Amino acid sequence: MSKIPRNKLVIMGNEKIPIEDNPITVYEDYEQDIYNALNKGVKKIAKYKKIILIYPRKAIHPYPKRITHGVTRFCVKHNLDFDIFDKVHDDMILFKGDLFITIEENDLINLMGLIKEKELVLGKDIGIISYNETPLKALLGISTISTDFKIMGETTAQMILDNKKGKVKVPFRFTNRNSM
């Protein structure tokens, strides 16, 4: 990144990249955003016995560790039992009353397959919240926690067009659907 002229540098997603000269930065605050989003859904989340975050430690595009900090803070604040695993395993034992928070699509798909295989009812026996909103998740009724990517793109484009520099935090939302 040091070879990119600062007047042409645009950072999207992560504000924690140490860059001087105040480039265009449109970001999400991973720890605080997930913490706040989960708090918006706390009434539904609290009905579950255990929260399980599937946080991929060896992803192709690594996710900020601050996601785990936000989930941990939320669970500690609300006195919720929780665990963190690196992926959904084929032999994973599912318990009624578990709420999974998945980040990667493969883990969501594998988890949905296990739920079907074990004849559990999604949204009743087991819950799922998935990271990052997509049209498919909306169609399937999967609850999500997500930055608003449309606003991220629009804000970035407008800053480029207006030749504005600086940092803008993008909204982050909890969307409750049938998977809880």
Side-chain angles (χ1 to χ4, degrees):
M1 283 197 317
S2 62
K3 295 181 182 185
I4 300 171
R6 294 299 176 250
N7 63 337
K8 303 227 184 259
L9 182 62
V10 175
I11 298 172
M12 294 176 70
N14 194 342
E15 73 156 338
K16 299 291 185 190
I17 299 171
I19 301 290
E20 296 177 14
D21 301 331
N22 202 22
I24 294 173
T25 304
V26 182
Y27 70 96
E28 53 189 295
D29 179 342
Y30 296 95
E31 180 177 345
Q32 194 62 42
D33 284 345
I34 199 165
Y35 176 80
N36 291 340
L38 292 172
N39 274 308
K40 288 178 184 164
V42 70
K43 288 182 183 173
K44 291 216 62 170
I45 293 169
K47 76 177 188 177
Y48 290 93
K49 296 175 186 170
K50 188 170 193 174
I51 312 303
I52 301 164
L53 172 64
I54 307 296
Y55 177 80
R57 289 178 179 87
K58 296 181 181 177
I60 293 171
H61 302 288
Y63 294 91
K65 189 81 170 150
R66 296 183 308 272
I67 291 171
T68 64
H69 300 180
V71 172
T72 300
R73 273 183 48 216
F74 170 80
C75 291
V76 168
K77 176 186 178 188
H78 296 286
N79 200 27
L80 298 169
D81 189 18
F82 72 97
D83 213 336
I84 300 173
F85 295 110
D86 65 335
K87 67 180 187 172
V88 173
H89 300 277
D90 293 337
D91 59 350
M92 185 176 267
I93 299 171
L94 305 180
F95 295 98
K96 287 184 179 183
D98 285 347
L99 172 66
F100 287 84
I101 300 172
T102 62
I103 296 178
E104 289 200 325
E105 303 300 302
N106 283 343
D107 287 316
L108 174 61
I109 292 165
N110 292 340
L111 181 59
M112 302 248 329
L114 283 174
I115 290 168
K116 184 177 180 183
E117 179 184 304
K118 306 290 184 193
E119 298 180 358
L120 296 167
V121 178
L122 183 60
K124 182 180 175 199
D125 299 328
I126 296 274
I128 296 177
I129 300 173
S130 186
Y131 198 79
N132 289 335
E133 179 67 38
T134 67
L136 185 59
K137 291 173 189 175
L139 182 67
L140 295 175
I142 303 296
S143 298
T144 60
I145 47 179
S146 182
T147 196
D148 190 319
F149 293 107
K150 182 177 183 216
I151 290 176
M152 181 180 276
E154 289 171 351
T155 301
T156 303
Q158 197 61 54
M159 289 177 79
I160 291 168
L161 290 172
D162 295 343
N163 198 26
K164 287 188 177 177
K165 306 291 183 210
K167 292 183 178 185
V168 176
K169 187 183 166 320
V170 180
F172 197 90
R173 295 187 173 88
F174 168 75
T175 303
N176 182 29
R177 297 193 179 103
N178 298 334
S179 68
M180 290 184 55

